[in-house]
Structures are given as structure tokens and as C-alpha cells.
Amino acid sequence: MSDTIAIGALRELTEHGIHAPDDVRLMGFDGIPFSACTNPPISTVAMDVPAMARTVIDRMVAPIESNLRHERPDDITHDHIQFQVMPRTSTLSA
């Protein structure tokens, strides 16, 4: 929801005479397509949602499978999901 919040913030800032990127730089996080349609377009970080979903499902299924095999579940680990920074007008340097 961060891009959605950034879109709302952009509107509020504009209504108060504060303009991106001249007065403030604004960046979201989600990569929703609509963030490219604002004025100015909002920079964002797009996550690989299918990879994130696969990782979450794998993390949920693994302890169940371990339990069925009467094995100790793996220790908690961290995963890295690919992302892409999408610079747009809302963060351009003056």
C-alpha cells in the first residue's frame, strides 16, 4: 500500500503548495502501475510478487511437511526477493 499512500501524500502536498520534486522528493514502494500515472509520476520500488508468494507458500508448507515426516523443522532463515527501483519524476534532482 505504500504507492497508494505516496499517491495520497502527493495530492496533499500539492494542495498545500508543496511540489515534488522541487520542494520534496517522494517515493513509494509496491510498483503499482498507477504510480506512473500521477503528476509527477512517483518513483517506486517494484517487488517480484510471484517470487514473494512462492517463498511465503514454501515457508508455510515446509514445517507441515517436516511434522508429517516427524522431523525437526528448519531454523528460521531469511530469503532475498528481487526488486527493481523505478526512478520517476517525483525524485529527480533539480
Side-chain angles (χ1 to χ4, degrees):
M1 296 261 328
S2 179
D3 278 350
T4 304
I5 293 168
I7 290 167
L10 179 63
R11 179 180 174 161
E12 285 296 313
L13 289 166
T14 302
E15 287 181 5
H16 289 87
I18 301 168
H19 301 283
D22 300 329
D23 303 317
V24 66
R25 297 205 177 112
L26 184 64
M27 184 150 187
F29 186 96
D30 286 334
I32 64 172
F34 192 68
S35 62
C37 301
T38 58
N39 186 20
I42 297 173
S43 298
T44 188
V45 176
M47 298 297 294
D48 183 348
V49 175
M52 212 172 357
R54 280 190 306 275
T55 300
V56 169
I57 291 168
D58 290 346
R59 291 276 173 212
M60 291 171 53
V61 170
I64 296 168
E65 290 177 341
S66 293
N67 190 33
L68 291 173
R69 291 188 305 266
H70 304 288
E71 297 174 353
R72 183 177 175 273
D74 291 336
D75 291 332
I76 296 173
T77 60
H78 295 86
D79 288 297
H80 299 277
I81 305 297
Q82 293 295 315
F83 64 91
Q84 178 183 6
V85 176
M86 302 174 74
R88 296 188 180 126
T89 311
S90 70
T91 56
L92 290 179
S93 299

